[in-house]
Amino acid sequence: IPRNTPWRSCGCAPQTGTSGLLLLTDDGQLAHRLISPRHAVWKIYDAVHEGEAGEADCAAFRAGLTLRDGTVCRPAYLRPLGPGRSLVAVCEGKYHQVRRMLASRGMPVTALRRIAEGGLELGTLPMGMTRELTCGEIRLLETVDFDEAYLEKLVQKIRSML
């Protein structure tokens, strides 16, 4: 982060041990919209895990999981990409949520990368690099709605990179 960058809040930091998209902002309202589950801003992860996700796992994510410690998760999306790899979309940010959700289904995570938030995609930005968002990207974060067609578009992008 450039030394003279003013910011007062961090919008949606990835989980510890997670790489990928990290948004920093000095706009408190935007940060609240991104973080608050009430606004249902979707975060999408590329997960490498043990085992293979099946239809029962996808259905459990759609229904909303209750984790081993009693934590109740909102409905989420799980899309298998092949053995040991899946896309996961969540609209809340509980402690290590994606890792815990996959582990609860017998698929411990070995690598996790946030690839999108709202309608903003990480794209080809190299690890460790930063850039400012365009006005259009900020508007997208303020207004985008998630649907399964968007998730399927990301699935196709990821599959083309495998």
Side-chain angles (χ1 to χ4, degrees), residues 39-55:
H39 295 287
V41 175
W42 289 85
K43 293 96 178 151
I44 302 174
Y45 296 84
D46 179 11
V48 178
H49 53 79
E50 295 177 16
E52 186 169 359
E55 182 50 42

mmCIF file with all atom_site columns, all heavy atoms in Angstrom, residues 39-55:
data_model
loop_
_atom_site.group_PDB
_atom_site.id
_atom_site.type_symbol
_atom_site.label_atom_id
_atom_site.label_alt_id
_atom_site.label_comp_id
_atom_site.label_asym_id
_atom_site.label_entity_id
_atom_site.label_seq_id
_atom_site.pdbx_PDB_ins_code
_atom_site.Cartn_x
_atom_site.Cartn_y
_atom_site.Cartn_z
_atom_site.occupancy
_atom_site.B_iso_or_equiv
_atom_site.pdbx_formal_charge
_atom_site.auth_seq_id
_atom_site.auth_comp_id
_atom_site.auth_asym_id
_atom_site.auth_atom_id
_atom_site.pdbx_PDB_model_num
ATOM 1   N N   . HIS A 1 39 ? -26.331 -6.446  3.350  1.00 0.00 ? 39 HIS A N   1
ATOM 2   C CA  . HIS A 1 39 ? -26.270 -5.988  1.958  1.00 0.00 ? 39 HIS A CA  1
ATOM 3   C C   . HIS A 1 39 ? -25.960 -7.114  0.977  1.00 0.00 ? 39 HIS A C   1
ATOM 4   O O   . HIS A 1 39 ? -26.022 -6.908  -0.227 1.00 0.00 ? 39 HIS A O   1
ATOM 5   C CB  . HIS A 1 39 ? -25.239 -4.867  1.816  1.00 0.00 ? 39 HIS A CB  1
ATOM 6   C CG  . HIS A 1 39 ? -25.622 -3.645  2.575  1.00 0.00 ? 39 HIS A CG  1
ATOM 7   N ND1 . HIS A 1 39 ? -26.634 -2.798  2.178  1.00 0.00 ? 39 HIS A ND1 1
ATOM 8   C CD2 . HIS A 1 39 ? -25.147 -3.129  3.732  1.00 0.00 ? 39 HIS A CD2 1
ATOM 9   C CE1 . HIS A 1 39 ? -26.758 -1.814  3.048  1.00 0.00 ? 39 HIS A CE1 1
ATOM 10  N NE2 . HIS A 1 39 ? -25.875 -1.996  4.002  1.00 0.00 ? 39 HIS A NE2 1
ATOM 11  N N   . ALA A 1 40 ? -25.626 -8.293  1.483  1.00 0.00 ? 40 ALA A N   1
ATOM 12  C CA  . ALA A 1 40 ? -25.412 -9.498  0.667  1.00 0.00 ? 40 ALA A CA  1
ATOM 13  C C   . ALA A 1 40 ? -24.472 -9.258  -0.513 1.00 0.00 ? 40 ALA A C   1
ATOM 14  O O   . ALA A 1 40 ? -24.776 -9.606  -1.646 1.00 0.00 ? 40 ALA A O   1
ATOM 15  C CB  . ALA A 1 40 ? -26.745 -10.062 0.189  1.00 0.00 ? 40 ALA A CB  1
ATOM 16  N N   . VAL A 1 41 ? -23.316 -8.646  -0.244 1.00 0.00 ? 41 VAL A N   1
ATOM 17  C CA  . VAL A 1 41 ? -22.300 -8.506  -1.292 1.00 0.00 ? 41 VAL A CA  1
ATOM 18  C C   . VAL A 1 41 ? -21.532 -9.819  -1.344 1.00 0.00 ? 41 VAL A C   1
ATOM 19  O O   . VAL A 1 41 ? -20.940 -10.250 -0.358 1.00 0.00 ? 41 VAL A O   1
ATOM 20  C CB  . VAL A 1 41 ? -21.353 -7.316  -1.011 1.00 0.00 ? 41 VAL A CB  1
ATOM 21  C CG1 . VAL A 1 41 ? -20.240 -7.259  -2.037 1.00 0.00 ? 41 VAL A CG1 1
ATOM 22  C CG2 . VAL A 1 41 ? -22.135 -6.008  -1.005 1.00 0.00 ? 41 VAL A CG2 1
ATOM 23  N N   . TRP A 1 42 ? -21.546 -10.457 -2.492 1.00 0.00 ? 42 TRP A N   1
ATOM 24  C CA  . TRP A 1 42 ? -20.968 -11.784 -2.634 1.00 0.00 ? 42 TRP A CA  1
ATOM 25  C C   . TRP A 1 42 ? -19.461 -11.724 -2.809 1.00 0.00 ? 42 TRP A C   1
ATOM 26  O O   . TRP A 1 42 ? -18.941 -10.878 -3.536 1.00 0.00 ? 42 TRP A O   1
ATOM 27  C CB  . TRP A 1 42 ? -21.619 -12.507 -3.804 1.00 0.00 ? 42 TRP A CB  1
ATOM 28  C CG  . TRP A 1 42 ? -23.030 -12.875 -3.473 1.00 0.00 ? 42 TRP A CG  1
ATOM 29  C CD1 . TRP A 1 42 ? -24.141 -12.086 -3.612 1.00 0.00 ? 42 TRP A CD1 1
ATOM 30  C CD2 . TRP A 1 42 ? -23.477 -14.096 -2.907 1.00 0.00 ? 42 TRP A CD2 1
ATOM 31  N NE1 . TRP A 1 42 ? -25.250 -12.755 -3.160 1.00 0.00 ? 42 TRP A NE1 1
ATOM 32  C CE2 . TRP A 1 42 ? -24.866 -13.996 -2.732 1.00 0.00 ? 42 TRP A CE2 1
ATOM 33  C CE3 . TRP A 1 42 ? -22.834 -15.271 -2.532 1.00 0.00 ? 42 TRP A CE3 1
ATOM 34  C CZ2 . TRP A 1 42 ? -25.627 -15.028 -2.197 1.00 0.00 ? 42 TRP A CZ2 1
ATOM 35  C CZ3 . TRP A 1 42 ? -23.595 -16.301 -2.004 1.00 0.00 ? 42 TRP A CZ3 1
ATOM 36  C CH2 . TRP A 1 42 ? -24.975 -16.169 -1.843 1.00 0.00 ? 42 TRP A CH2 1
ATOM 37  N N   . LYS A 1 43 ? -18.778 -12.631 -2.131 1.00 0.00 ? 43 LYS A N   1
ATOM 38  C CA  . LYS A 1 43 ? -17.344 -12.816 -2.256 1.00 0.00 ? 43 LYS A CA  1
ATOM 39  C C   . LYS A 1 43 ? -17.140 -14.208 -2.838 1.00 0.00 ? 43 LYS A C   1
ATOM 40  O O   . LYS A 1 43 ? -17.742 -15.183 -2.376 1.00 0.00 ? 43 LYS A O   1
ATOM 41  C CB  . LYS A 1 43 ? -16.637 -12.732 -0.891 1.00 0.00 ? 43 LYS A CB  1
ATOM 42  C CG  . LYS A 1 43 ? -16.695 -11.342 -0.268 1.00 0.00 ? 43 LYS A CG  1
ATOM 43  C CD  . LYS A 1 43 ? -17.839 -11.287 0.693  1.00 0.00 ? 43 LYS A CD  1
ATOM 44  C CE  . LYS A 1 43 ? -17.915 -9.929  1.395  1.00 0.00 ? 43 LYS A CE  1
ATOM 45  N NZ  . LYS A 1 43 ? -19.285 -9.611  1.773  1.00 0.00 ? 43 LYS A NZ  1
ATOM 46  N N   . ILE A 1 44 ? -16.309 -14.296 -3.867 1.00 0.00 ? 44 ILE A N   1
ATOM 47  C CA  . ILE A 1 44 ? -16.137 -15.564 -4.569 1.00 0.00 ? 44 ILE A CA  1
ATOM 48  C C   . ILE A 1 44 ? -14.689 -16.015 -4.444 1.00 0.00 ? 44 ILE A C   1
ATOM 49  O O   . ILE A 1 44 ? -13.761 -15.240 -4.676 1.00 0.00 ? 44 ILE A O   1
ATOM 50  C CB  . ILE A 1 44 ? -16.582 -15.442 -6.039 1.00 0.00 ? 44 ILE A CB  1
ATOM 51  C CG1 . ILE A 1 44 ? -18.045 -14.986 -6.076 1.00 0.00 ? 44 ILE A CG1 1
ATOM 52  C CG2 . ILE A 1 44 ? -16.396 -16.771 -6.761 1.00 0.00 ? 44 ILE A CG2 1
ATOM 53  C CD1 . ILE A 1 44 ? -18.577 -14.677 -7.441 1.00 0.00 ? 44 ILE A CD1 1
ATOM 54  N N   . TYR A 1 45 ? -14.524 -17.282 -4.079 1.00 0.00 ? 45 TYR A N   1
ATOM 55  C CA  . TYR A 1 45 ? -13.213 -17.855 -3.807 1.00 0.00 ? 45 TYR A CA  1
ATOM 56  C C   . TYR A 1 45 ? -12.946 -19.049 -4.720 1.00 0.00 ? 45 TYR A C   1
ATOM 57  O O   . TYR A 1 45 ? -13.855 -19.840 -4.994 1.00 0.00 ? 45 TYR A O   1
ATOM 58  C CB  . TYR A 1 45 ? -13.138 -18.350 -2.353 1.00 0.00 ? 45 TYR A CB  1
ATOM 59  C CG  . TYR A 1 45 ? -13.262 -17.254 -1.339 1.00 0.00 ? 45 TYR A CG  1
ATOM 60  C CD1 . TYR A 1 45 ? -14.506 -16.792 -0.926 1.00 0.00 ? 45 TYR A CD1 1
ATOM 61  C CD2 . TYR A 1 45 ? -12.130 -16.658 -0.788 1.00 0.00 ? 45 TYR A CD2 1
ATOM 62  C CE1 . TYR A 1 45 ? -14.624 -15.781 0.011  1.00 0.00 ? 45 TYR A CE1 1
ATOM 63  C CE2 . TYR A 1 45 ? -12.242 -15.646 0.157  1.00 0.00 ? 45 TYR A CE2 1
ATOM 64  C CZ  . TYR A 1 45 ? -13.485 -15.216 0.541  1.00 0.00 ? 45 TYR A CZ  1
ATOM 65  O OH  . TYR A 1 45 ? -13.601 -14.211 1.467  1.00 0.00 ? 45 TYR A OH  1
ATOM 66  N N   . ASP A 1 46 ? -11.705 -19.183 -5.113 1.00 0.00 ? 46 ASP A N   1
ATOM 67  C CA  . ASP A 1 46 ? -11.202 -20.364 -5.798 1.00 0.00 ? 46 ASP A CA  1
ATOM 68  C C   . ASP A 1 46 ? -10.527 -21.202 -4.713 1.00 0.00 ? 46 ASP A C   1
ATOM 69  O O   . ASP A 1 46 ? -9.544  -20.762 -4.109 1.00 0.00 ? 46 ASP A O   1
ATOM 70  C CB  . ASP A 1 46 ? -10.197 -19.939 -6.876 1.00 0.00 ? 46 ASP A CB  1
ATOM 71  C CG  . ASP A 1 46 ? -9.596  -21.105 -7.639 1.00 0.00 ? 46 ASP A CG  1
ATOM 72  O OD1 . ASP A 1 46 ? -10.085 -22.245 -7.504 1.00 0.00 ? 46 ASP A OD1 1
ATOM 73  O OD2 . ASP A 1 46 ? -8.620  -20.864 -8.376 1.00 0.00 ? 46 ASP A OD2 1
ATOM 74  N N   . ALA A 1 47 ? -11.084 -22.361 -4.417 1.00 0.00 ? 47 ALA A N   1
ATOM 75  C CA  . ALA A 1 47 ? -10.594 -23.191 -3.319 1.00 0.00 ? 47 ALA A CA  1
ATOM 76  C C   . ALA A 1 47 ? -9.964  -24.474 -3.851 1.00 0.00 ? 47 ALA A C   1
ATOM 77  O O   . ALA A 1 47 ? -10.562 -25.175 -4.675 1.00 0.00 ? 47 ALA A O   1
ATOM 78  C CB  . ALA A 1 47 ? -11.741 -23.545 -2.368 1.00 0.00 ? 47 ALA A CB  1
ATOM 79  N N   . VAL A 1 48 ? -8.766  -24.766 -3.362 1.00 0.00 ? 48 VAL A N   1
ATOM 80  C CA  . VAL A 1 48 ? -8.128  -26.055 -3.594 1.00 0.00 ? 48 VAL A CA  1
ATOM 81  C C   . VAL A 1 48 ? -8.290  -26.819 -2.291 1.00 0.00 ? 48 VAL A C   1
ATOM 82  O O   . VAL A 1 48 ? -7.963  -26.297 -1.217 1.00 0.00 ? 48 VAL A O   1
ATOM 83  C CB  . VAL A 1 48 ? -6.637  -25.874 -3.963 1.00 0.00 ? 48 VAL A CB  1
ATOM 84  C CG1 . VAL A 1 48 ? -5.968  -27.227 -4.161 1.00 0.00 ? 48 VAL A CG1 1
ATOM 85  C CG2 . VAL A 1 48 ? -6.493  -25.011 -5.211 1.00 0.00 ? 48 VAL A CG2 1
ATOM 86  N N   . HIS A 1 49 ? -8.827  -28.026 -2.375 1.00 0.00 ? 49 HIS A N   1
ATOM 87  C CA  . HIS A 1 49 ? -9.172  -28.774 -1.169 1.00 0.00 ? 49 HIS A CA  1
ATOM 88  C C   . HIS A 1 49 ? -8.971  -30.256 -1.379 1.00 0.00 ? 49 HIS A C   1
ATOM 89  O O   . HIS A 1 49 ? -8.818  -30.723 -2.512 1.00 0.00 ? 49 HIS A O   1
ATOM 90  C CB  . HIS A 1 49 ? -10.624 -28.492 -0.760 1.00 0.00 ? 49 HIS A CB  1
ATOM 91  C CG  . HIS A 1 49 ? -11.608 -28.709 -1.871 1.00 0.00 ? 49 HIS A CG  1
ATOM 92  N ND1 . HIS A 1 49 ? -12.062 -29.961 -2.235 1.00 0.00 ? 49 HIS A ND1 1
ATOM 93  C CD2 . HIS A 1 49 ? -12.212 -27.836 -2.716 1.00 0.00 ? 49 HIS A CD2 1
ATOM 94  C CE1 . HIS A 1 49 ? -12.910 -29.846 -3.244 1.00 0.00 ? 49 HIS A CE1 1
ATOM 95  N NE2 . HIS A 1 49 ? -13.022 -28.568 -3.565 1.00 0.00 ? 49 HIS A NE2 1
ATOM 96  N N   . GLU A 1 50 ? -8.967  -30.980 -0.280 1.00 0.00 ? 50 GLU A N   1
ATOM 97  C CA  . GLU A 1 50 ? -8.923  -32.430 -0.352 1.00 0.00 ? 50 GLU A CA  1
ATOM 98  C C   . GLU A 1 50 ? -10.300 -32.936 -0.758 1.00 0.00 ? 50 GLU A C   1
ATOM 99  O O   . GLU A 1 50 ? -11.311 -32.274 -0.517 1.00 0.00 ? 50 GLU A O   1
ATOM 100 C CB  . GLU A 1 50 ? -8.521  -33.012 1.003  1.00 0.00 ? 50 GLU A CB  1
ATOM 101 C CG  . GLU A 1 50 ? -7.115  -32.634 1.420  1.00 0.00 ? 50 GLU A CG  1
ATOM 102 C CD  . GLU A 1 50 ? -6.740  -33.159 2.793  1.00 0.00 ? 50 GLU A CD  1
ATOM 103 O OE1 . GLU A 1 50 ? -7.437  -34.059 3.311  1.00 0.00 ? 50 GLU A OE1 1
ATOM 104 O OE2 . GLU A 1 50 ? -5.747  -32.649 3.343  1.00 0.00 ? 50 GLU A OE2 1
ATOM 105 N N   . GLY A 1 51 ? -10.340 -34.096 -1.369 1.00 0.00 ? 51 GLY A N   1
ATOM 106 C CA  . GLY A 1 51 ? -11.617 -34.694 -1.742 1.00 0.00 ? 51 GLY A CA  1
ATOM 107 C C   . GLY A 1 51 ? -12.227 -34.049 -2.971 1.00 0.00 ? 51 GLY A C   1
ATOM 108 O O   . GLY A 1 51 ? -11.601 -33.232 -3.648 1.00 0.00 ? 51 GLY A O   1
ATOM 109 N N   . GLU A 1 52 ? -13.449 -34.444 -3.242 1.00 0.00 ? 52 GLU A N   1
ATOM 110 C CA  . GLU A 1 52 ? -14.167 -33.936 -4.409 1.00 0.00 ? 52 GLU A CA  1
ATOM 111 C C   . GLU A 1 52 ? -15.590 -33.553 -4.010 1.00 0.00 ? 52 GLU A C   1
ATOM 112 O O   . GLU A 1 52 ? -16.286 -34.331 -3.365 1.00 0.00 ? 52 GLU A O   1
ATOM 113 C CB  . GLU A 1 52 ? -14.192 -34.992 -5.512 1.00 0.00 ? 52 GLU A CB  1
ATOM 114 C CG  . GLU A 1 52 ? -14.787 -34.508 -6.799 1.00 0.00 ? 52 GLU A CG  1
ATOM 115 C CD  . GLU A 1 52 ? -14.555 -35.474 -7.955 1.00 0.00 ? 52 GLU A CD  1
ATOM 116 O OE1 . GLU A 1 52 ? -13.913 -36.520 -7.757 1.00 0.00 ? 52 GLU A OE1 1
ATOM 117 O OE2 . GLU A 1 52 ? -15.034 -35.160 -9.054 1.00 0.00 ? 52 GLU A OE2 1
ATOM 118 N N   . ALA A 1 53 ? -15.995 -32.348 -4.388 1.00 0.00 ? 53 ALA A N   1
ATOM 119 C CA  . ALA A 1 53 ? -17.344 -31.881 -4.075 1.00 0.00 ? 53 ALA A CA  1
ATOM 120 C C   . ALA A 1 53 ? -18.359 -32.566 -4.983 1.00 0.00 ? 53 ALA A C   1
ATOM 121 O O   . ALA A 1 53 ? -18.133 -32.700 -6.188 1.00 0.00 ? 53 ALA A O   1
ATOM 122 C CB  . ALA A 1 53 ? -17.427 -30.368 -4.246 1.00 0.00 ? 53 ALA A CB  1
ATOM 123 N N   . GLY A 1 54 ? -19.457 -32.979 -4.385 1.00 0.00 ? 54 GLY A N   1
ATOM 124 C CA  . GLY A 1 54 ? -20.529 -33.606 -5.142 1.00 0.00 ? 54 GLY A CA  1
ATOM 125 C C   . GLY A 1 54 ? -21.824 -32.825 -5.008 1.00 0.00 ? 54 GLY A C   1
ATOM 126 O O   . GLY A 1 54 ? -21.882 -31.775 -4.358 1.00 0.00 ? 54 GLY A O   1
ATOM 127 N N   . GLU A 1 55 ? -22.879 -33.348 -5.595 1.00 0.00 ? 55 GLU A N   1
ATOM 128 C CA  . GLU A 1 55 ? -24.176 -32.662 -5.573 1.00 0.00 ? 55 GLU A CA  1
ATOM 129 C C   . GLU A 1 55 ? -24.703 -32.493 -4.158 1.00 0.00 ? 55 GLU A C   1
ATOM 130 O O   . GLU A 1 55 ? -25.318 -31.482 -3.836 1.00 0.00 ? 55 GLU A O   1
ATOM 131 C CB  . GLU A 1 55 ? -25.196 -33.388 -6.450 1.00 0.00 ? 55 GLU A CB  1
ATOM 132 C CG  . GLU A 1 55 ? -26.545 -32.700 -6.509 1.00 0.00 ? 55 GLU A CG  1
ATOM 133 C CD  . GLU A 1 55 ? -26.484 -31.197 -6.825 1.00 0.00 ? 55 GLU A CD  1
ATOM 134 O OE1 . GLU A 1 55 ? -25.702 -30.781 -7.699 1.00 0.00 ? 55 GLU A OE1 1
ATOM 135 O OE2 . GLU A 1 55 ? -27.222 -30.421 -6.162 1.00 0.00 ? 55 GLU A OE2 1
#
